[in-house]
Amino acid sequence: MVSINLKCTLLAPPEKVAAVLLEHAYLGRFFNAQFSQLKSHNKGEMKGGAGAIRQVKTPLAIFSEQIISASNKYICYRIMGDKPVANHQGDIYLTPIEHEGNTATGLRYCITFKPPWWMPSSLIKLFVKHDISQALNKLARYFKEHNV
């Protein structure tokens, strides 16, 4: 199993960060992929939350992800099926913190997955970690520039 843990600080409160991360069709602003929402959230869940399914198109693969749980403090999703990796789960923890007198968010992004047998774990870990790091940097810039 591969595990990746990344952290960043975002200049917005957790509820705004969660809302942006659950706008599935617009995640391409941050990640190197195209996203489209295939299924809406379950009745009674927050917008884009539990039950929502999104399709992810990357240059190398097309796959679907399902939101398992979502709140202003935590988002959990998983890749449906075993491609491009197996047992993939993403856990995003959103913690309110104070930053220069305002409420900001401490974000911790944890990913676990099993790579294909033919691909070295260290190589795919490096690729995914780099991609997610870039996305978090874009997300941080977004909140800095939009002053939300």
Side-chain angles (χ1 to χ4, degrees):
M1 272 312 241
V2 171
S3 292
I4 299 170
N5 292 289
L6 297 168
K7 294 179 181 181
C8 71
T9 299
L10 303 171
L11 302 179
E15 60 272 9
K16 291 194 178 184
V17 174
V20 166
L21 290 174
L22 294 172
E23 291 179 322
H24 307 295
Y26 301 104
L27 288 175
R29 298 178 287 185
F30 312 113
F31 296 89
N32 293 324
Q34 294 177 341
F35 292 79
S36 58
Q37 189 164 337
L38 301 178
K39 180 184 175 291
S40 187
H41 54 276
N42 293 336
K43 185 177 180 180
E45 295 291 337
M46 67 188 297
K47 185 177 179 184
I53 298 174
R54 60 188 176 211
Q55 183 180 68
V56 183
K57 292 182 182 180
T58 72
L60 301 175
I62 298 173
F63 54 93
S64 294
E65 296 178 337
Q66 182 174 29
I67 304 299
I68 305 303
S69 177
S71 71
N72 292 331
K73 295 181 179 182
Y74 174 68
I75 298 170
C76 175
Y77 69 91
R78 66 174 173 85
I79 288 180
M80 301 172 74
D82 291 338
K83 303 285 190 238
V85 294
N87 303 321
H88 178 281
Q89 181 167 310
D91 296 289
I92 302 170
Y93 300 91
L94 307 169
T95 306
I97 59 173
E98 182 166 328
H99 180 76
E100 298 178 3
N102 295 310
T103 301
T105 300
L107 181 146
R108 185 166 56 102
Y109 198 145
C110 306
I111 301 169
T112 57
F113 60 87
K114 182 179 177 188
W117 64 268
W118 49 268
M119 183 175 282
S121 295
S122 58
L123 181 62
I124 195 165
K125 181 176 183 175
L126 181 69
F127 175 74
V128 172
K129 187 174 182 178
H130 179 265
D131 194 51
I132 300 298
S133 293
Q134 282 188 326
L136 293 179
N137 288 336
K138 290 177 186 176
L139 192 62
R141 262 195 318 275
Y142 172 83
F143 285 113
K144 188 175 182 179
E145 292 170 0
H146 287 83
N147 230 358
V148 286

